[in-house]
Amino acid sequence: MKNKKLWMGIGAVAVIALVVWLMSGGKKEEKVEFETAKVERQDIHTTITATGTIEPVTSVTVGTQVSGIVSHLYVDYNSVVKKGQVIAELDKTNLTSELNTARANLSSAQSSLSYEQANYNRYKTLYDKGLVSADEYESARLSYDKARQQVATSRESVQKAQTNLSYATITSPIDGVVLSKSVEEGQTVAASFNTPELFTIAQDLTNMRVIADIDEADIGGVKEGQRVTFTVDAFPDDKFEGEVTQVRQQATTSSNVVTYEVVISAPNNDLKLKPGLTANVTIYTLEKNNVLAVPSKALRFTPNETLLQEGQTIADVEAPVKVWTLEGQTFKAHAVEVGITNGMATEILNGIGEGTDVLVDFSFTGGDMPQEQPAGNPFMPRPRNNKNQQQPKK
């Protein structure tokens, strides 16, 4: 009997506790904490990244227009050369022989011309006196004209042989540095079908450039004059600067990927940059410094019923883009005009003052977690809350 009374007492206490718990709301008191950020001045920029190859602005491939054996080389890799400096010579034996033959042919042609000219003058005198026929006179004149043409042809042959002989002496076309050497002494070069490459000379290694391949999705934002930074694996701790100097129109397709070449200046006064290095390029396609900005999250924040505590109200405005502040017990909307954005921060052109704390996010502490407010496009108008909402004063 005593046990029965004991259990009845325990049950009564449990019922009373359940009633008290239900009357108190059945859950812990919820508290809303807000994250704010100040409207402050920032540097906002957007960038695209790419890879490219470093090369000299001006480089010349030196070849030869005549065939022969390389008899002398006067430069090597990294040799500094001046314009007109002799850098190699081919064997001149055959070329000298061709020049001598051409000169001999010219001398023979000149002798023939002297004879034909004298013969023509005699026939002309006789023809004027009526002592020879017109046919004989015309034949003498024709022989004289042929002899003159032969002299002209022989003279051109001499000139060509002299030019070919001069080609056997290879000179530097520019001031610069020898980057590559493709031949050795004793090697035979043949110029029958194409020009053999002997050297590659870079004009000025202190003035380099980067040829970067930009994806077709990014090329629309690249313009001449934009600032560029890049790094190379050879000097990972150094950041080099340049600017876009040319956006080439010719597209290149590789594995169904379309890219465009962009030329970037690369000053190289300390000669750290070497031809052929791979550059990791960052192009600043949009850049503004010291502008008023807020975190882009602030443009997506919208108070709703779940955030309202006792006595709090909402003062909304009709605007495509707005930010919110909590002023006392009122959530107040501010219509703002925005400028550029990089996804993390957005420029504020007008609508709210510098130093203002704007609402960015919120969180609940204690109680059950209500459903999060849906994210929306900050640049699209939002539906107005009807409950516990105050209209803005006009």
Side-chain angles (χ1 to χ4, degrees):
M1 194 68 175
K2 290 182 179 180
N3 290 339
K4 185 176 180 181
K5 290 181 178 181
L6 177 62
W7 285 108
M8 290 178 65
I10 293 174
V13 171
V15 170
I16 293 172
L18 177 62
V19 171
V20 172
W21 181 79
L22 291 175
M23 292 180 64
S24 66
K27 57 182 179 180
K28 298 180 180 179
E29 183 181 357
E30 297 173 349
K31 182 179 179 181
V32 183
E33 294 184 354
F34 293 98
E35 177 185 349
T36 63
K38 287 188 179 295
V39 181
E40 58 186 2
R41 295 194 174 274
Q42 303 180 30
D43 296 339
I44 300 179
H45 57 256
T46 58
T47 63
I48 61 174
T49 58
T51 59
T53 303
I54 295 175
E55 63 180 39
V57 173
T58 301
S59 62
V60 178
T61 299
V62 180
T64 175
Q65 290 185 287
V66 294
S67 302
I69 299 173
V70 179
S71 59
H72 294 94
L73 290 177
Y74 300 106
V75 296
D76 204 344
Y77 291 93
N78 300 335
S79 295
V80 178
V81 295
K82 297 294 183 180
K83 183 177 180 179
Q85 177 182 335
V86 177
I87 57 179
E89 284 185 331
L90 303 181
D91 181 74
K92 301 179 181 179
T93 303
N94 291 337
L95 297 173
T96 302
S97 177
E98 290 176 1
L99 176 58
N100 292 335
T101 299
R103 285 173 174 171
N105 291 336
L106 175 59
S107 179
S108 176
Q110 288 173 335
S111 298
S112 297
L113 176 60
S114 298
Y115 168 77
E116 294 297 341
Q117 184 176 11
N119 189 51
Y120 168 71
N121 291 335
R122 286 194 302 267
Y123 271 88
K124 186 176 185 305
T125 302
L126 295 174
Y127 177 72
D128 292 339
K129 295 179 179 181
L131 299 177
V132 295
S133 64
D135 183 63
E136 291 174 317
Y137 167 72
E138 291 296 332
S139 178
R141 188 175 65 84
L142 179 61
S143 297
Y144 172 57
D145 289 341
K146 287 182 177 180
R148 285 193 303 171
Q149 293 170 0
Q150 184 61 43
V151 168
T153 301
S154 298
R155 187 173 286 114
E156 290 297 326
S157 296
V158 171
Q159 182 64 40
K160 180 179 178 181
Q162 288 175 333
T163 301
N164 287 339
L165 182 60
S166 68
Y167 286 154
T169 300
I170 313 299
T171 60
S172 174
I174 58 174
D175 295 342
V177 177
V178 177
L179 296 183
S180 67
K181 181 184 68 172
S182 304
V183 294
E184 298 293 342
E185 289 187 1
Q187 182 174 339
T188 301
V189 292
S192 301
F193 300 102
N194 52 22
T195 301
E197 296 181 2
L198 306 182
F199 305 94
T200 299
I201 300 176
Q203 186 174 38
D204 183 8
L205 293 183
T206 64
N207 186 22
M208 305 288 277
R209 66 182 180 182
V210 179
I211 305 297
D213 295 323
I214 307 299
D215 189 85
E216 62 177 325
D218 298 325
I219 194 64
V222 181
K223 302 291 187 295
E224 292 183 9
Q226 290 173 342
R227 185 169 71 93
V228 179
T229 61
F230 62 92
T231 61
V232 295
D233 293 340
F235 303 98
D237 297 329
D238 293 339
K239 181 176 288 187
F240 303 90
E241 294 204 2
E243 68 175 34
V244 176
T245 59
Q246 186 183 52
V247 180
R248 294 178 176 173
Q249 302 298 323
Q250 177 65 39
T252 301
T253 303
S254 177
S255 300
N256 294 325
V257 176
V258 180
T259 58
Y260 292 83
E261 288 187 345
V262 172
V263 182
I264 300 164
S265 64
N268 188 33
N269 294 328
D270 53 7
L271 298 179
K272 285 186 175 181
L273 300 176
K274 302 182 184 300
L277 289 178
T278 298
N280 303 304
V281 175
T282 300
I283 301 177
Y284 293 80
T285 55
L286 189 61
E287 201 168 14
K288 276 191 176 182
N289 297 324
N290 197 32
V291 296
L292 283 181
V294 296
S296 297
K297 290 173 58 178
L299 302 176
R300 297 190 291 269
F301 178 89
T302 302
N304 54 38
E305 297 176 3
T306 61
L307 303 183
L308 295 179
Q309 303 295 300
E310 183 177 357
Q312 290 183 334
T313 58
I314 297 176
D316 201 355
V317 294
E318 290 288 348
V321 185
K322 48 191 157 183
V323 295
W324 293 82
T325 58
L326 182 58
E327 301 179 6
Q329 293 290 89
T330 302
F331 291 95
K332 184 176 181 180
H334 302 264
V336 295
E337 183 181 354
V338 297
I340 68 170
T341 180
N342 60 3
M344 298 297 295
T346 300
E347 178 188 10
I348 299 297
L349 299 177
N350 57 62
I352 195 166
E354 182 176 358
T356 306
D357 289 317
V358 296
L359 296 171
V360 174
D361 205 349
F362 67 91
S363 61
F364 288 93
T365 58
D368 298 328
M369 292 295 292
Q371 184 177 0
E372 295 182 357
Q373 62 174 342
N377 188 333
F379 301 102
M380 294 295 292
R382 302 181 178 88
R384 300 175 62 183
N385 295 323
N386 294 323
K387 186 177 181 180
N388 296 326
Q389 179 174 321
Q390 294 181 351
Q391 298 299 326
K393 296 181 180 181
K394 297 184 179 179

